[in-house]
Amino acid sequence: MFRVLLIIIVLVVGYDAVMHQGANTREASHRLGLLPLSSVEGARELGERARE
C-alpha cells in the first residue's frame, strides 16, 4: 500500500515538474511550511484571550 502511494506521489510531482515547472509543488510545500507557524500564532491568540 505504501509503495503504491509513493508511486502516485512521484507521478504527481513529476507531472507538475514537467507541465507547470513545479509551481503546484512549490506552493504546496510553502503552505506546509506555514502550517506550524499559523498553529503557533493561533495558540498564542487563544492564550491571550484566555487571560482576558
Side-chain angles (χ1 to χ4, degrees):
M1 177 67 181
F2 179 74
R3 289 180 185 175
V4 173
L5 184 62
L6 187 62
I7 290 171
I8 291 171
I9 290 172
V10 167
L11 289 175
V12 168
V13 170
Y15 176 79
D16 179 47
V18 171
M19 300 303 291
H20 305 115
Q21 288 81 36
N24 295 331
T25 305
R26 279 193 304 273
E27 183 178 334
S29 65
H30 179 70
R31 286 184 181 171
L32 286 175
L34 292 178
L35 187 61
L37 181 61
S38 64
S39 64
V40 168
E41 290 293 326
R44 185 177 297 147
E45 289 175 7
L46 184 62
E48 289 174 0
R49 278 189 255 148
R51 282 186 234 143
E52 293 176 352

